[in-house]
Structures are given as structure tokens and as C-alpha cells.
Amino acid sequence: MLIDIIYGEIPTKIHPVVAVGNLISFFKNKLIKFRNRFSGVLLYFIVMIISILIISIILMIVSFNEIIFFVIYSIVLTTTYSIKMLLSSAKDIENKLKVDINSARKAMSYLVSRNTETLSESFIISATIETLSENITDSYIAPIFYYMITSYLLLIFNKSFFILLILIPIIYRITNTLDAMVGYKTNELKYIGYFPAKVDDILNYIPSRIAGLFVILSAYLINLNYKNSYLMYKRDSRNCPSPNSGFTMATVAGALDIQLVKKGTYKLGDPNKKIDISDISKAIKLSKLTITLFTLFFIIIFIILFMVV
């Protein structure tokens, strides 16, 4: 976590997720000509097997020395989630929006699939908060959730399969990357992207709902509208096409007393007040506390289990 918070992402040239993305692009181009859903199954398992084999080999090679193994293991683990980039991306758009809306539109275009060229200020703010809050699950809580659950199981059964442990968040990150690259219902990707998208939905089902609850708790602790956040959790969290993304987006919208809108797709929350630039900072603060509380919660559980076992 300290590696990610202090240094952020490791260089692109050696980043495992970038390498996985290149693998996905290569095999997608080979398999997309088969216009059936099995092409997506093949893409998923080919990319998964190759990636896991390479990472496992690297970790086994460096296992001759405990210190080197720990350093490489930690670096690999930090690539499965992103805290600094998640928060700094939202802050960057907020800063750009204060100076030049066109610059903010361009920065926004790298984060969302929608057309940002004509977005008004309020829609840019909304899109920024939507992206930030949705990625609380994808970028941090889900991979760490699976890492910690596996840690508990290994602790209880007194096993030390560290390579197996790190493969769990890696499997999640590869699945999430596949969904981000091919999991769309366009004419080109609707077949090859079907299976990766469904697996991603399944893996995010529990973490997204846990994340939403931690958003509500965080809203309470920093005097935001936690009651409205809980109301939106129950009312609007299923308004999105994705079965999972609304659980953090709706609760953040409720906590800030704003409405998040993606034209023609969803509306989350009530426009109790006009959305403005300051809401981005509030959303960042809320996201930071959500991540912190979630992390502390799982560490405390681990300590208790460690003492008991």
C-alpha cells in the first residue's frame, strides 16, 4: 500500500497490467473473427493462463532470497490495485476545470467511454465523481477483498502458499482488464466480450455491495448525508446497466446530496443541491475514508484470526 500511495503506478514498460492489455489485444485480434461467445471464453482462459504462468515463474525465480522475494511480491501485488492514481485523476480534472473546461474535457476523455467534447461543467463534474466512486470497487476494494479472504483461509488452514495468495487479486485484475477492453455490447465486441463481462460482474457482486456500505459509514463519520446515502443505496443502486457499479455511485451521490447523470443511461440520487466543483473534493475525501476504513476492518479481522489460530 505504501508503494502505491507514495510512488503510484510502476513504469508502463514493466507494468503487468499493460502487458496483460497487450496480450488481450493480440489474442482478441485473432479470435474476434469467430462470431460466437466461445471466442470470449478462449480469450479469457488463454490470457489468464499465460499471465499466471509468467508471474508464477518470476516469483519462483526470485524466491531464492526472502528479501528479494518480498520486494518483488510487494511490487507485483501493488499493480493489482490503484489508490494514488484513482484519487489523483479526479483531483487533476477538478484542477483543470477551474482553469479551462476544454482541458478538463480532454482529461475526462481518457477516463470514460462517453463523448466528452461537448460536456458542460456540471456533466464533467458528474462524470468525474461517477468514475471515482465506481472505481472504489474496481481499483481497490475488490482485489483487496479477495486477497484478504484468501489470507484468512490460508491462515486458518496453516498454509503458506504465498504465490497462490498473490494470484487471487491478479486473477481479479486480469478479469477486470478484459472487461474494460472487450466487455461492451457493440456489434464488434458483443460476442467476444460476453464471457469476460459476466465473470467480472460475478467477481464484483459482493465487493461492490460491501464498498457501498463503507461509503455510508464514511459519510456518517465526516458529517455528510449518510441517511440519504443509505436511501440511495436501497433505491438507486440498481439503476445502472451494470449490476454492481451503482452501489458506490448511488451512495456517493446520496452522501453529497447531488444527482449523478449519464445521459440516456441512468440518474442516481436526487438534485437536492446544484452540483459544483467542490463536490469533487468531497467525493475524494469520502473515497479516501472509505478505502481507509475498509483496509482497517480487514486488518483487524486478520489480527483477531491470527491471535485465535
Side-chain angles (χ1 to χ4, degrees):
M1 286 185 67
L2 286 173
I3 291 171
D4 182 85
I5 292 168
I6 296 170
Y7 296 104
E9 300 294 329
I10 65 174
T12 301
K13 290 182 179 179
I14 59 171
H15 203 298
V17 176
V18 176
V20 168
N22 292 333
L23 267 179
I24 293 169
S25 295
F26 177 80
F27 286 106
K28 184 200 82 171
N29 294 334
K30 301 290 184 184
L31 296 170
I32 201 166
K33 59 185 177 182
F34 303 107
R35 302 286 291 172
N36 57 67
R37 290 177 177 176
F38 187 65
S39 63
V41 177
L42 279 176
L43 176 66
Y44 184 90
F45 285 104
I46 289 172
V47 171
M48 191 69 70
I49 290 168
I50 293 174
S51 302
I52 287 174
L53 278 174
I54 293 171
I55 292 170
S56 298
I57 290 169
I58 291 170
L59 289 173
M60 284 189 283
I61 289 172
V62 301
S63 64
F64 70 91
N65 182 282
E66 287 186 0
I67 295 174
I68 294 174
F69 178 79
F70 177 76
V71 171
I72 300 300
Y73 185 99
S74 300
I75 291 171
V76 172
L77 179 60
T78 196
T79 65
T80 66
Y81 58 85
S82 178
I83 303 171
K84 187 173 183 177
M85 180 176 282
L86 172 65
L87 301 173
S88 62
S89 296
K91 191 66 180 177
D92 180 58
I93 292 174
E94 179 187 17
N95 292 336
K96 283 182 167 60
L97 199 54
K98 291 176 181 177
V99 179
D100 176 37
I101 191 169
N102 289 320
S103 178
R105 285 170 179 156
K106 185 175 181 180
M108 191 80 253
S109 68
Y110 296 117
L111 301 178
V112 297
S113 57
R114 73 195 76 171
N115 185 356
T116 63
E117 291 181 2
T118 59
L119 287 182
S120 65
E121 180 179 292
S122 62
F123 279 110
I124 293 173
I125 296 168
S126 178
T128 303
I129 296 173
E130 290 165 48
T131 303
L132 171 63
S133 55
E134 179 181 4
N135 282 295
I136 292 172
T137 300
D138 294 354
S139 293
Y140 183 74
I141 285 184
I144 296 304
F145 170 80
Y146 287 112
Y147 183 79
M148 294 304 291
I149 291 296
T150 310
S151 298
Y152 301 157
L153 294 174
L154 292 178
L155 182 64
I156 290 168
F157 293 106
N158 196 28
K159 301 294 182 181
S160 298
F161 299 136
F162 291 113
I163 292 179
L164 171 63
L165 177 59
I166 200 172
L167 291 180
I168 302 303
I170 286 171
I171 288 170
Y172 172 82
R173 178 53 56 214
I174 294 170
T175 302
N176 191 249
T177 305
L178 277 158
D179 178 58
M181 291 184 67
V182 301
Y184 299 97
K185 296 179 180 179
T186 62
N187 186 53
E188 179 194 20
L189 299 173
K190 64 182 179 181
Y191 294 111
I192 199 168
Y194 180 83
F195 182 78
K198 289 303 177 184
V199 177
D200 186 71
D201 287 344
I202 292 168
L203 291 181
N204 277 320
Y205 188 87
I206 295 175
S208 64
R209 286 149 178 80
I210 292 173
L213 294 174
F214 274 96
V215 169
I216 297 166
L217 176 60
S218 299
Y220 170 76
L221 292 175
I222 56 177
N223 296 318
L224 294 175
N225 195 341
Y226 70 94
K227 291 182 179 179
N228 193 40
S229 183
Y230 178 64
L231 176 62
M232 295 306 114
Y233 182 90
K234 294 193 297 180
R235 195 192 78 183
D236 288 357
S237 55
R238 292 177 176 83
N239 287 359
C240 301
S242 163
N244 303 312
S245 60
F247 282 87
T248 45
M249 289 198 291
T251 49
V252 169
L256 300 179
D257 279 320
I258 59 174
Q259 187 173 67
L260 300 176
V261 180
K262 183 177 181 181
K263 291 181 181 179
T265 306
Y266 56 71
K267 290 182 179 180
L268 305 171
D270 296 321
N272 295 331
K273 74 175 191 66
K274 185 179 178 181
I275 193 169
D276 60 51
I277 294 178
S278 66
D279 289 316
I280 297 178
S281 289
K282 293 176 185 176
I284 291 171
K285 185 178 181 181
L286 183 59
S287 300
K288 282 182 181 178
L289 185 56
T290 299
I291 289 169
T292 302
L293 291 178
F294 172 83
T295 305
L296 290 174
F297 174 78
F298 274 88
I299 288 174
I300 289 168
I301 292 178
F302 187 87
I303 292 170
I304 293 169
L305 280 174
F306 184 82
M307 294 173 66
V308 171
V309 174

